[in-house]
Amino acid sequence: LFWAGVLLSLLFYVIAVTLTQITSANEIGEAAQLFSTLPRSMDTLFRCLVAMECSMPDGKPIAPEMAKAYGWTFILGYWLIVSMMNFGIGNLVNAVFVENTIAAARHNQEKIKRRRTSESRRVARLMLRLVSKFTRAAAAEVEDSSSESLDVEKDMGGRKEKTSELTRAVFNEVKADDEMCKIFDELEIAEDDREDLFDTLDVDGNGELSIVEITTGIMKLRG
């Protein structure tokens, strides 16, 4: 955008110098006074090509007056300048604006992507801490209880898989831990959702929670 402004200013300057030299060498008509000096030429060009107020103080249009004084040479030059400003420089400025807009949108997308990646990593670290807490609690109950084991053998298509599940008592005990409360806070799990969290996560209603049920359910609660 800066260089487009520089190019536009340079073009205005060259045209103003040319018109000032032409009218100074041969002042014909009242319109020539509007181009008698370089500042006046710059001002007149700005009003004609940008502000679209190309008229003399008495209201007469400048272009016809200049055409009477300097003939078809001025008319051809005038239309060339107008066409170049409207289609050439105008399109250039528009292209610069569009390019800057696209670049800004791309930059914002990259920032959003980096923010999402950072958030995903943060959540992954919190979930790892959460899973570790529940896993240790399940292992501790297995060691303390010899009569009631949390390890259940399930037949999976002919294969036997050992999974550890948490009872309501163990889950609520771990949930009430201060560190776990901080984890829930950082995961943005609302206080109201924590009250009946076991029932919310126990989708199969068997009275026990697997690590998969816990992680899947908590991620759904986060939205």
Side-chain angles (χ1 to χ4, degrees):
L1 185 59
F2 171 76
W3 290 111
V6 171
L7 178 61
L8 185 61
S9 299
L10 181 61
L11 180 62
F12 265 64
Y13 178 77
V14 171
I15 297 172
V17 169
T18 303
L19 289 173
T20 302
Q21 290 179 345
I22 292 174
T23 55
S24 296
N26 187 14
E27 288 193 18
I28 303 175
E30 298 178 3
Q33 297 178 1
L34 298 174
F35 300 95
S36 58
T37 63
L38 183 59
R40 283 188 176 183
S41 295
M42 293 286 287
D43 177 67
T44 304
L45 282 174
F46 181 84
R47 290 192 295 108
C48 288
L49 300 179
V50 179
M52 298 300 176
E53 296 179 0
C54 198
S55 60
M56 296 188 297
D58 59 1
K60 294 180 181 179
I62 295 176
E65 293 296 322
M66 292 291 289
K68 291 178 182 177
Y70 298 98
W72 286 102
T73 304
F74 175 82
I75 292 295
L76 292 176
Y78 175 77
W79 284 112
L80 178 63
I81 293 171
V82 170
S83 299
M84 184 169 55
M85 290 295 299
N86 289 338
F87 299 103
I89 302 300
N91 289 338
L92 175 62
V93 173
N94 290 335
V96 171
F97 272 112
V98 171
E99 183 179 359
N100 289 341
T101 302
I102 294 175
R106 187 182 299 113
H107 180 67
N108 288 336
Q109 289 179 351
E110 292 176 355
K111 287 176 63 177
I112 293 173
K113 184 178 179 180
R114 288 196 299 268
R115 192 179 299 116
R116 287 178 178 173
T117 301
S118 177
E119 176 65 12
S120 298
R121 291 175 180 174
R122 186 186 72 87
V123 172
R125 288 193 294 268
L126 291 172
M127 292 300 296
L128 182 61
R129 290 168 56 191
L130 181 143
V131 169
S132 178
K133 291 281 291 183
F134 282 120
T135 302
R136 287 199 301 268
E141 188 175 19
V142 170
E143 293 178 359
D144 293 341
S145 175
S146 57
S147 60
E148 185 178 355
S149 176
L150 292 176
D151 293 333
V152 180
E153 291 188 353
K154 297 182 179 179
D155 192 353
M156 303 283 293
R159 295 177 301 171
K160 290 186 178 180
E161 182 181 355
K162 248 184 181 181
T163 60
S164 295
E165 297 188 343
L166 293 165
T167 62
R168 181 186 296 270
V170 175
F171 179 86
N172 288 335
E173 181 181 351
V174 177
K175 185 186 70 172
D177 182 74
D178 291 339
E179 182 182 353
M180 186 60 71
C181 289
K182 292 180 180 178
I183 293 176
F184 282 139
D185 288 338
E186 294 185 41
L187 286 173
E188 300 176 355
I189 305 299
E191 292 283 350
D192 294 339
D193 293 333
R194 301 180 202 177
E195 294 180 2
D196 300 321
L197 187 57
F198 185 90
D199 295 326
T200 302
L201 300 180
D202 188 18
V203 292
D204 56 9
N206 66 348
E208 295 179 331
L209 289 177
S210 67
I211 297 301
V212 174
E213 285 179 313
I214 294 173
T215 55
T216 303
I218 287 178
M219 292 302 294
K220 287 182 178 180
L221 281 176
R222 295 190 74 252

